[in-house]
Amino acid sequence: MKWLELHIDTARAGLEPVSELLREQGVEGLVIDDEADFKDFLENNHQYWDYVDDELLAEKHGKCRVTFYLEESESGFSTLAQVRIALSALKKQHPEYAPLLLTMENVEDADWENNWKQFYKPMEIGERLLVIPEWEQAKPTERVKLILNPGLTFGTGSHATTRLCLQALEKHIRGGEKVLDLGCGSGILSIAALLLGAEDAFACDIDDKCVGVAYENAALNGIGREHYTVRAGDVLSDKRLAREFSGDYDIVVANIVADVIIALAPQVRPLLKKGGLFLCSGIIDDRAVEVADALRLAGWAIMEARESEGWFSYLCK
């Protein structure tokens, strides 16, 4: 099995938030390089050394880095895309953690995209959907076809959290719904909802690159802007964005991370019609109970819980 070696460089204050971000995406086995720890070791362990190579000192100078490893596989590249999106959000929320630079050993962005494409094949999801990469051909089928080119945004259908949401949407979209997609990434969930019969969808993401990607994916599926709106902004704090998407939705979907779902729980209720549904995912298993408790505390009843590969989704009413 081949592995990708990845690094995130940050200020010292960002080491723990970056580590937590990675754990939220299911990444374990982190290697932490902290310049302060290295200096403390040198200062307090003179008995073990009498000379330190200048190159080693230069290498450690100003260096706070989290190193992690992902399989060079469909799942690994999908996780990498999710890490990119989460890191972009962290940069905007906490500029003091700069540089928050993600690098890969001996892999350029172009190589990443080409390598990722070879693992991304047509996928049957649930009973009705077939997700097809734009560059692939699929055999004739009775399934609803969703053509996708996610680029460097999250949302291919290969990650468990996305599949869990798609399975719930295909069960509960009956035709004519109005859908809000919070943290849309590639737009896969809101576009799937429209293809399954929803009338209109509003999608947003904190990463402004997702706007163009989602619109392009909608166009690939014959969906125009008269039924699909995509915007960039922070769903928790951007009041302008909140005014634009306003309320009166049949379904609100948020495939994000546990902390954002907990914060969103009390804010989503006014956005839904009476009897509307809140579908949330991106919840790693060791935080599933915490998120469920927060949802109930905010007044939600969990109608369906789904689990796959250590990830959870909740359908709430």
Side-chain angles (χ1 to χ4, degrees), residues 40-310:
D40 287 344
F41 172 81
L42 295 182
E43 184 65 28
N44 297 309
N45 293 275
H46 289 284
Q47 68 271 30
Y48 299 120
W49 58 271
D50 56 15
Y51 171 77
V52 180
D53 187 87
D54 288 340
E55 289 187 9
L56 179 59
L57 288 173
E59 178 187 343
K60 295 293 184 180
H61 178 67
K63 182 176 181 180
C64 289
R65 166 177 282 187
V66 181
T67 297
F68 61 103
Y69 298 86
L70 295 174
E71 292 181 14
E72 190 174 337
S73 66
E74 176 184 343
S75 175
F77 286 118
S78 184
T79 299
L80 176 55
Q82 191 172 14
V83 168
R84 281 171 175 253
I85 298 302
L87 192 64
S88 176
L90 189 65
K91 281 183 180 181
K92 293 179 181 179
Q93 294 165 0
H94 294 282
E96 69 273 21
Y97 298 162
L100 290 178
L101 177 66
L102 173 64
T103 56
M104 293 171 279
E105 286 296 314
N106 304 317
V107 182
E108 300 294 335
D109 269 0
D111 295 325
W112 176 85
E113 187 169 4
N114 291 329
N115 285 334
W116 172 81
K117 284 183 176 181
Q118 69 179 310
F119 294 103
Y120 185 30
K121 303 296 182 183
M123 289 173 288
E124 293 185 351
I125 297 177
E127 297 180 359
R128 297 170 58 194
L129 281 167
L130 177 66
V131 179
I132 307 168
E134 182 190 11
W135 53 88
E136 289 282 340
Q137 296 295 319
K139 297 178 181 179
T141 178
E142 296 297 317
R143 286 177 173 262
V144 175
K145 294 181 180 178
L146 196 171
I147 302 169
L148 203 67
N149 185 348
L152 298 181
T153 63
F154 178 67
T156 67
S158 60
H159 196 276
T161 60
T162 309
R163 293 198 306 272
L164 292 171
C165 289
L166 290 171
Q167 290 163 5
L169 286 173
E170 84 164 14
K171 179 179 177 181
H172 292 280
I173 295 288
R174 296 182 172 88
E177 289 86 357
K178 185 179 176 184
V179 176
L180 175 61
D181 182 2
L182 302 175
C184 65
S186 68
I188 183 171
L189 298 180
S190 38
I191 293 169
L194 291 166
L195 292 173
L196 288 166
E199 181 67 21
D200 293 288
F202 190 108
C204 57
D205 198 285
I206 198 166
D207 186 344
D208 56 10
K209 291 191 291 294
C210 295
V211 176
V213 172
Y215 272 135
E216 289 169 10
N217 284 322
L220 289 174
N221 291 277
I223 295 169
R225 300 192 184 195
E226 67 275 16
H227 293 289
Y228 191 44
T229 303
V230 190
R231 296 288 185 265
D234 186 332
V235 299
L236 294 175
S237 63
D238 191 330
K239 294 181 179 179
R240 176 200 56 80
L241 176 66
R243 286 194 298 270
E244 188 169 1
F245 62 64
S246 63
D248 204 31
Y249 292 93
D250 297 283
I251 299 177
V252 174
V253 57
N255 182 20
I256 312 183
V257 294
D259 286 331
V260 178
I261 292 168
I262 290 170
L264 277 174
Q267 298 186 26
V268 169
R269 292 180 69 190
L271 302 175
L272 284 167
K273 295 178 181 177
K274 185 177 180 179
L277 300 173
F278 177 33
L279 172 61
C280 53
S281 190
I283 307 159
I284 195 71
D285 53 4
D286 63 2
R287 301 199 67 189
V289 172
E290 177 189 357
V291 173
D293 288 344
L295 289 166
R296 294 188 184 100
L297 186 64
W300 296 100
I302 297 175
M303 313 301 292
E304 297 174 10
R306 289 178 168 82
E307 185 275 334
S308 177
E309 300 175 19

